[in-house]
Amino acid sequence: VGQAVESLMNMDRPEDTRVNSETSLTAKLTEGLALKFSYKLNYDAKPVEGYSKADQTGLLTVVTSVF
C-alpha cells in the first residue's frame, strides 16, 4: 500500500493551488512479478477555462524484478 500527496502553491496567488495525490496497492504474484493498482487525483483550484478542476486516473501496472 502506498500514498503520496504533493501540494503546489503559487506564491504570487495563493488561491491558485494544485494538489496531486496517488494511492496504490501492489500485489506480488510470483518472486519476480507483481501487479500495481493505482488511483491518481490531480486537482487545480484555478484551471484553464474549459477544463475541470479535478482529473482522475486509474492505472494497472505490471511490475517485474530481475534481481
Side-chain angles (χ1 to χ4, degrees):
V1 176
Q3 175 68 47
V5 178
E6 172 185 48
S7 178
L8 306 168
M9 182 184 290
N10 183 334
M11 299 305 282
D12 296 327
R13 296 182 316 183
E15 70 279 2
D16 187 10
T17 300
R18 296 178 184 196
V19 178
N20 301 318
S21 171
E22 180 179 359
T23 303
S24 65
L25 174 66
T26 303
K28 186 175 180 179
L29 301 176
T30 66
E31 189 62 35
L33 188 64
L35 284 179
K36 179 180 175 183
F37 302 94
S38 302
Y39 171 74
K40 289 186 176 185
L41 175 65
N42 297 330
Y43 175 81
D44 187 350
K46 298 279 187 178
V48 175
E49 189 174 325
Y51 289 87
S52 67
K53 289 187 174 187
D55 292 325
Q56 303 175 56
T57 307
L59 300 161
L60 174 61
T61 308
V62 176
V63 182
T64 60
S65 175
V66 293
F67 298 104

